[in-house]
Amino acid sequence: MLRKINLFRVLIIAFLININFIFSQDKGLEYYKNQEFEAAKNYYESIILESDNNPEAQLGKGSSSFQLGDYDSAKGAFEKSLRSNDNIIRSKALYNLGNTLYQNQKNEEALAYYRKALELNPDDKEARYNYELLKYQPDPPEDDQKDQDKKEEQEQEQQQEQEQQQEQEQQQEQEQQQEQEQQQEQEQQQEQEQQQEQASQEEKSQDMKQAESILDALKQDEQVMQKKQIARSKSRKLAKDW
């Protein structure tokens, strides 16, 4: 791990040296030195808009993009700078492509670009150093590999536990929802039964009132008839005595 970190530092340092070598007396380089990478990128892009076939500006754009963490843009710019007829520029572009691929953890491809850079410029010490360091870096110790495997296994177990927990939570949520739906149905059914019972009671009450009204009417009629009979009886007695 320590060697990998050191390699990363070497790549960055050599990367800056390559830019300084190519772009002396450059306004974009001033932005770059002041760590104004966005301004540097915009400066080189403005030059590229005027002339797309400008390997030096493409190299500057790629360098700025690299520092901004935009490795895709950096890779594209470095590839365009390979159109240069100057082997020094092409060598630096190849070297920087190796740096970019290393950042993307593509070590084999990075080695290939370092090798191509050395073929164009065998005296490039930075390219040789990075090439040899990356090529001959030791494999991780067996214990580290075991720890890594154990860590991955633990992460998988944690993920499985999380998935199981999520499934349980979803199942509980569904059960609660079903219980709520059943409770709502029961409440609606009880409400309907209460409404039906209330309607039945109201209907019975109306029937009873109607029956009472009929009975009252019959009683009144009966009383009237009785009065008429008494009156007739009296009139008969009076007629007989006379």
Side-chain angles (χ1 to χ4, degrees):
M1 184 64 182
L2 180 60
R3 287 180 176 273
K4 189 172 183 179
I5 293 173
N6 290 337
L7 175 61
F8 172 77
R9 292 176 178 171
V10 171
L11 292 178
I12 297 299
I13 293 171
F15 190 74
L16 296 174
I17 292 173
N18 286 346
I19 295 170
N20 290 338
F21 182 85
I22 295 297
F23 292 104
S24 58
Q25 305 299 324
D26 189 331
K27 186 176 180 180
L29 183 59
E30 293 180 8
Y31 290 130
Y32 189 92
K33 285 181 177 180
N34 293 328
Q35 297 186 353
E36 299 177 27
F37 303 122
E38 190 69 40
K41 181 181 178 182
N42 292 336
Y43 172 79
Y44 290 120
E45 284 181 343
S46 66
I47 296 176
I48 292 170
L49 285 174
E50 297 177 0
S51 175
D52 182 61
N53 188 20
N54 192 321
E56 293 84 355
Q58 293 288 359
L59 192 60
K61 176 186 174 181
S63 304
S64 305
S65 299
F66 182 94
Q67 295 297 341
L68 290 169
D70 188 357
Y71 300 124
D72 290 337
S73 177
K75 182 174 180 293
F78 290 143
E79 288 174 345
K80 290 181 179 179
S81 66
L82 290 174
R83 300 171 183 172
S84 175
N85 295 324
D86 189 335
N87 283 343
I88 297 298
I89 293 178
R90 296 179 68 241
S91 173
K92 301 308 177 184
L94 290 167
Y95 175 80
N96 291 335
L97 276 168
N99 292 345
T100 305
L101 290 166
Y102 176 80
Q103 292 298 323
N104 291 328
Q105 298 180 351
K106 296 180 179 180
N107 293 357
E108 293 299 326
E109 294 181 42
L111 282 170
Y113 277 106
Y114 291 144
R115 185 166 52 251
K116 291 178 181 179
L118 287 170
E119 290 173 358
L120 288 177
N121 184 11
D123 296 330
D124 191 334
K125 295 180 180 180
E126 290 82 11
R128 183 172 299 280
Y129 184 81
N130 290 341
Y131 174 79
E132 292 179 355
L133 190 61
L134 185 59
K135 182 177 180 179
Y136 298 110
Q137 65 177 340
D139 295 330
E142 186 176 352
D143 292 340
D144 292 346
Q145 186 63 39
K146 288 182 180 179
D147 292 340
Q148 182 65 25
D149 294 340
K150 185 176 180 180
K151 183 179 178 181
E152 292 177 356
E153 184 177 353
Q154 290 176 348
E155 289 177 352
Q156 290 178 355
E157 289 178 356
Q158 290 178 354
Q159 185 176 358
Q160 290 177 354
E161 289 177 358
Q162 290 177 354
E163 291 176 353
Q164 290 177 355
Q165 185 176 358
Q166 288 177 354
E167 289 178 358
Q168 291 176 356
E169 290 177 353
Q170 290 177 355
Q171 186 175 358
Q172 290 176 355
E173 185 176 354
Q174 290 176 355
E175 291 176 354
Q176 290 176 355
Q177 187 175 358
Q178 289 176 354
E179 289 178 358
Q180 290 177 353
E181 291 176 353
Q182 290 176 356
Q183 185 176 358
Q184 288 177 354
E185 289 178 357
Q186 290 176 356
E187 290 176 353
Q188 290 176 356
Q189 186 176 357
Q190 289 176 356
E191 186 177 356
Q192 290 176 356
E193 290 176 355
Q194 289 175 356
Q195 290 176 353
Q196 290 175 357
E197 185 178 356
Q198 185 177 0
S200 177
Q201 290 177 354
E202 289 177 355
E203 185 177 356
K204 288 180 180 180
S205 177
Q206 290 176 358
D207 292 341
M208 289 179 65
K209 288 180 179 179
Q210 187 175 3
E212 288 175 355
S213 298
I214 293 172
L215 288 173
D216 290 340
L218 290 173
K219 287 179 181 180
Q220 290 176 1
D221 291 342
E222 186 178 355
Q223 289 175 358
V224 171
M225 291 297 294
Q226 287 177 355
K227 288 180 181 180
K228 287 182 178 181
Q229 288 177 357
I230 292 170
R232 288 176 184 173
S233 176
K234 288 180 179 182
S235 62
R236 288 176 182 173
K237 286 180 180 181
L238 290 174
K240 186 177 179 182
D241 290 344
W242 182 82

